[in-house]
Amino acid sequence: MLARHNGHRMTDPIATLTKLLEPIFSEMNGGDPADPVVRPSDRADAQINGALALAKKVGANPRDLAESVTESAALTDVASSLEVAGPGFINVEFSQPFLESLLAEVANDDRLGVAAATDLKTVVIDYSAPNVAKEMHVGHLRSTVIGDSLVRMMECLGHQVIRENHIGDWGRPFGMLIEHLLDLGEDVASSGLSQGDLDSFYKEANAKFAESETFQERARQRVVLLQGGDEETLVLWRRLVDMSNAYFNSVYSTLGVLLTDDDLAGESRYQPLMEGVYQRLDDAGLLSEDDGAMVVYPDGFKNRDGDPLPMIAKSRTGAFMYATSDLACVVDRVERLGADLMLYVVGSPQANHLEMVFSVCAKAGWLVEPTEAVHVGFGNVLGADGKMMRSRAGDSVKLADLLDEAIERAEAAIAEKNPELAADQRAKVAEMVGIGALKYFDLSTDRIKDYQFDWDRMLAFEGSTGPYLQYAHARICSVFRRADIERASVRQVPIALIEPQERALALRLLAYPTAITASLGTYAPHKLCTYVYELASDFSSFYQECPILKSKEPVRSSRLALADLTARVLAHSLGLLGIAAPEEM
RNA sequence: GCCCACGUAGCUCAGUCGGAUAGAGCGGGGACCUCCUAAGUCCUAGGCCGUCGGUUCGAUUCCGGCCGUGGGCGCCA
C-alpha cells in the first residue's frame, strides 16, 4: 500500500492516495494516464475530483466513474470512508492506523519525510548583488533574503547549488571612486568605509564629479588605467572592493544568510570573457551594425517606434555593455560550471533586459533545453504612503539601519512581554526575532508583488508573522523543559490521533514535503511561509484543546511525541526560510 | 504608442493543474487564564474576486476587450 519515492517512503497521504488511484484512473481512461486530481478538502481529509474531468473526456457519467472508484478495493488500507458527493466528487477520510503509521515514519526520519529530488541538478543562483562603495538598501534585502531561501530549499532537495553574488565592482564609476579615495588618503577612507559610511563616500565622489571638470578628467583617465590593467590602479581598486566586501559581510552576518567571499562573482570577473563572447556572436553571424554600435536582434522585441529592438553588444565608442557581460555570465555558468538551471533573483524592472539576454543566448546556442535560465523577479518595498520606501531625507533606506531597528524593536517587545528573560539571553533572542520578523515579512507575500513595509505588523506577535511562528516553537521547547524530558526520547513513541486537533495537526505535518516542492515549483518562498503559518496555527489549536503534561499515559507521551515532531518541522521549515527558531523567547 | 506585471473583506494579504459554501490576519462585536508562556484559543459580522464578453457541466483561476495602478521600451548597470 505504500508508494516509495527515491528510496523514501512517501509520507504525504495526498500523494500516496494519488499513486494508488493512478492505475484505476488510467484503466477508466482506456489505458492512458489520467490525473485523479486529489486535493485537500475542508469537508473531508481529502477530495478526489478527477472523475468529473475524466467523465467528460470518455463520455461517461461522472457519478458512475466515482462510484467505481469507491467500490474498488485499492483504497481500503488507507481510507476509512469514501463518499461520492455532488456531481462526482469523492470525499475521503483517511484511516487512523494509516495516518499513524505515516507519522511514525516521519518521526523516525531525520529528513522529516522530505525526499531528495529525482532529477538532481546543478543550480546557479544569482542574488544579492550590492554595488561596491555603495550602501545596501531595501532592494538588496529582497534579493538577498529570497535568494538565500531558494538556496536552502534547493540544497534540501539534494541539488548542487552554486551561489553567485554578482556584485557591481566594475565600470565607469570606479574612475571617480578611486580618485576620491586618493584625495581622502587611504587611512581616512578605510576607516570611513569600515564603519559602513559608504553612502557619503559615494555621494562625495559624485558631487566632485558633478562640480569639477578637472576631477572628471582625472576620473576618465583613471577608468582608462583601470581597464588597461595598470598595477597601481588595480591595487586601489582592490582596496575599495575589499573594504566593501567586509561591509557586505557584516550585513550578511547580521542577516544570517549563507553568502561568503567564496560566492563573489562580480562584474569584473566577466570582463576578460567578453571579447570571446563577442567573437562567438560574430562567428555565428548574429552581429549587425546600427548607428555605429554592434548589436544583436533577439526575436520578438520592439522599441517604441515598432522597430526591432536591439541588444547592444558593443557601443559606438567600442565599449562592451552590461548586456554583453550578462551573456558572458550565462556562457560561464553553462560551460564552466555545468549549470542545468540558473536563477536570477533580480527586481522586476530587469525583466525585459533578462528576456533579451536569454533570447540571444538561445539564438547563439549557449542556452539549449533542458538547460534553463529563470528570472526570479520581485516587486518593490513600499512605505506607508504606498510609494517606494524612502528615508525622511528622501534617500533610499540603508539596509543596515533597517536591521538594527528590527532588532531594537524586537528587544523592546521581548522586554515587555517576557521580563523574566535574562538580559544576555534577551539580546540573542532579540536578534533572532527581529531578523526573523523582517525576513518573514519579506518572504511571506508573493515575491512578484510590491509590499507595504510596516514595523507594527511585522513585529506583531499575532497573525502571520515571524514572531508568532517562533513562539509556537518556543512553547513546545518550554513544555519539554518544564517536564524535564529529552525531546529525542519521545521519537519512538507511537502517536495516537484521537482528538480532531491532533488529526488536523498530523495531516499538516505530513504535508510538509509537498509544501516544499510546491514552493520551489514556482520559486515562491511565500508558499512555504503559508504552510509554516498554518502549521503553527494548527499547533496552537492543539495546544489549547489538548493538555499535554496533565494527560495520563499513554496520551501524555503520544502528545509529547506529536509536539516534538511539530517543533522539528517548525525549526526545519523556518530554517529553509533562513529564520532561526529560538527555544525560549 | 507598444510590451510586461498587478487589481480578492474597512486595512494587509493567501487562494495548488478550472471544482462544492472564496480563506487568513489586523481592525469591529462577543467568549475563555487558581490550568504546559493569554506573545494564545474559540465564536461572530464583513465580498458584484476591477469591469464587460468568451470557452464549459462548472471560471477568482483559462482566453479576449476595456478601466485603474506600477514598471520597461538603444549606446548607465
Side-chain angles (χ1 to χ4, degrees):
Chain A
M1 84 182 197
L2 297 160
R4 283 190 175 270
H5 174 64
N6 201 21
H8 258 71
R9 182 172 132 181
M10 200 180 279
T11 50
D12 184 339
I14 302 263
T16 305
L17 201 53
T18 302
K19 275 273 176 272
L20 293 173
L21 288 166
E22 270 164 2
I24 302 173
F25 273 77
S26 166
E27 190 183 328
M28 294 192 300
N29 194 30
D32 293 330
D35 188 356
V37 195
V38 185
R39 300 282 184 269
S41 172
D42 48 359
R43 313 169 173 240
D45 292 337
Q47 58 186 56
I48 304 165
N49 300 338
L52 289 113
L54 184 60
K56 180 160 64 173
K57 198 174 164 206
V58 302
N61 180 326
R63 280 194 70 100
D64 291 346
L65 291 187
E67 297 286 355
S68 68
V69 171
T70 59
E71 284 159 14
S72 85
L75 303 181
T76 49
D77 287 337
V78 303
S80 56
S81 149
L82 290 171
E83 198 179 84
V84 178
F89 302 104
I90 304 169
N91 292 328
V92 182
E93 193 179 309
F94 292 117
S95 80
Q96 191 176 318
F98 171 59
L99 292 180
E100 289 169 353
S101 78
L102 292 176
L103 222 42
E105 186 98 6
V106 173
N108 197 31
D109 178 9
D110 289 337
R111 294 182 56 89
L112 300 165
V114 182
T118 47
D119 55 336
L120 293 178
K121 293 177 179 174
T122 297
V123 185
V124 174
I125 307 188
D126 181 326
Y127 65 111
S128 195
N131 291 310
V132 163
K134 279 178 111 171
E135 277 294 343
M136 295 182 77
H137 53 77
V138 279
H140 298 114
L141 173 72
R142 299 221 69 188
S143 178
T144 306
V145 165
I146 293 166
D148 185 61
S149 175
L150 294 176
V151 167
R152 292 170 192 264
M153 285 194 254
M154 280 288 181
E155 284 183 342
C156 173
L157 294 192
H159 298 292
Q160 191 203 332
V161 176
I162 300 170
R163 305 186 287 264
E164 292 216 332
N165 191 0
H166 198 74
I167 61 171
D169 62 355
W170 202 255
R172 294 203 314 212
F174 281 85
M176 73 175 190
L177 291 169
I178 291 170
E179 286 302 318
H180 183 53
L181 182 68
L182 285 168
D183 284 358
L184 284 182
E186 287 172 36
D187 292 348
V188 179
S190 87
S191 63
L193 287 180
S194 66
Q195 286 163 17
D197 196 16
L198 291 163
D199 227 19
S200 50
F201 181 85
Y202 194 93
K203 280 179 186 160
E204 284 163 19
N206 226 348
K208 271 201 260 180
F209 190 85
E211 286 160 14
S212 160
E213 282 185 26
T214 44
F215 188 79
Q216 286 176 24
E217 187 49 34
R218 281 167 59 195
R220 266 191 287 274
Q221 293 296 335
R222 189 58 73 178
V223 173
V224 173
L225 285 172
L226 180 65
Q227 285 174 340
D230 174 61
E231 281 299 330
E232 197 184 332
T233 301
L234 283 173
V235 167
L236 294 165
W237 169 78
R238 188 75 249 163
R239 193 152 299 162
L240 272 177
V241 172
D242 287 346
M243 287 188 294
S244 290
N245 277 336
Y247 177 67
F248 299 153
N249 285 338
S250 74
V251 173
Y252 293 149
S253 167
T254 306
L255 202 45
V257 295
L258 299 168
L259 287 168
T260 70
D261 285 345
D262 294 339
D263 306 318
L264 291 171
E267 288 163 7
S268 63
R269 174 191 284 193
Y270 301 97
Q271 300 308 307
L273 305 177
M274 292 205 287
E275 186 59 46
V277 166
Y278 183 78
Q279 277 307 320
R280 286 168 71 172
L281 286 175
D282 200 7
D283 295 344
L286 293 174
L287 289 176
S288 352
E289 203 218 299
D290 186 359
D291 202 12
M294 297 307 290
V295 306
V296 184
Y297 291 102
D299 300 326
F301 294 85
K302 286 179 182 159
N303 68 12
R304 63 178 81 233
D305 300 320
D307 298 324
L309 181 66
M311 194 213 75
I312 295 176
K314 191 185 261 186
S315 79
R316 192 187 298 142
T317 59
F320 291 122
M321 300 282 95
Y322 72 120
T324 316
S325 167
D326 283 335
L327 293 181
C329 205
V330 172
V331 170
D332 187 60
R333 288 168 181 178
V334 173
E335 297 182 0
R336 183 175 66 85
L337 298 174
D340 303 303
L341 174 62
M342 288 165 277
L343 301 182
Y344 287 74
V345 188
V346 175
S348 293
Q350 301 255 37
N352 196 255
H353 163 69
L354 287 171
E355 272 173 39
M356 287 176 77
V357 167
F358 299 157
S359 174
V360 168
C361 286
K363 214 167 175 174
W366 302 329
L367 190 52
V368 183
E369 286 188 9
T371 304
E372 196 185 1
V374 179
H375 176 206
V376 180
F378 54 84
N380 294 314
V381 182
L382 307 179
D385 56 359
K387 295 180 179 159
M388 290 277 281
M389 188 157 87
R390 299 272 173 214
S391 69
R392 261 168 294 178
D395 304 322
S396 57
V397 179
K398 288 165 78 167
L399 180 53
D401 291 348
L402 220 51
L403 304 187
D404 289 345
E405 186 165 355
I407 295 167
E408 273 170 37
R409 283 173 180 263
E411 180 144 21
I414 293 162
E416 187 196 322
K417 305 266 162 91
N418 188 3
E420 286 144 48
L421 202 63
D424 57 333
Q425 190 65 20
R426 188 171 70 213
K428 274 190 203 164
V429 173
E431 185 160 340
M432 294 193 244
V433 171
I435 298 298
L438 187 68
K439 284 181 168 180
Y440 186 82
F441 197 72
D442 192 289
L443 291 171
S444 61
T445 58
D446 192 352
R447 63 175 163 75
I448 210 70
K449 298 182 181 174
D450 296 345
Y451 74 83
Q452 215 166 349
F453 198 89
D454 183 335
W455 283 119
D456 291 335
R457 278 202 300 118
M458 180 187 309
L459 279 151
F461 292 75
E462 55 270 332
S464 182
T465 68
Y468 174 82
L469 307 182
Q470 292 172 320
Y471 175 59
H473 181 263
R475 271 176 137 180
I476 297 171
C477 295
S478 166
V479 169
F480 280 86
R481 266 197 308 275
R482 181 160 294 248
D484 199 22
I485 294 172
E486 278 293 315
R487 294 249 319 261
S489 71
V490 298
R491 287 187 191 156
Q492 303 296 325
V493 172
I495 296 171
L497 302 174
I498 313 297
E499 298 299 324
Q501 290 84 0
E502 293 176 301
R503 190 187 178 83
L505 179 55
L507 283 169
R508 190 75 66 189
L509 288 165
L510 294 171
Y512 181 44
T514 303
I516 296 173
T517 50
S519 193
L520 216 36
T522 52
Y523 313 110
H526 83 278
K527 292 182 182 176
L528 185 57
C529 289
T530 300
Y531 171 81
V532 187
Y533 173 66
E534 287 169 340
L535 175 60
S537 189
D538 287 335
F539 173 76
S540 295
S541 300
F542 159 77
Y543 183 83
Q544 190 74 18
E545 297 301 319
C546 305
I548 302 171
L549 298 179
K550 287 187 197 66
S551 298
K552 293 198 168 65
E553 293 295 355
V555 172
R556 183 180 133 112
S557 287
S558 166
R559 288 183 178 165
L560 278 167
L562 189 57
D564 168 66
L565 183 56
T566 303
R568 287 164 72 196
V569 175
L570 279 172
H572 193 268
S573 54
L574 284 171
L576 293 182
L577 299 169
I579 297 172
E583 300 195 346
E584 204 178 350
M585 60 189 277

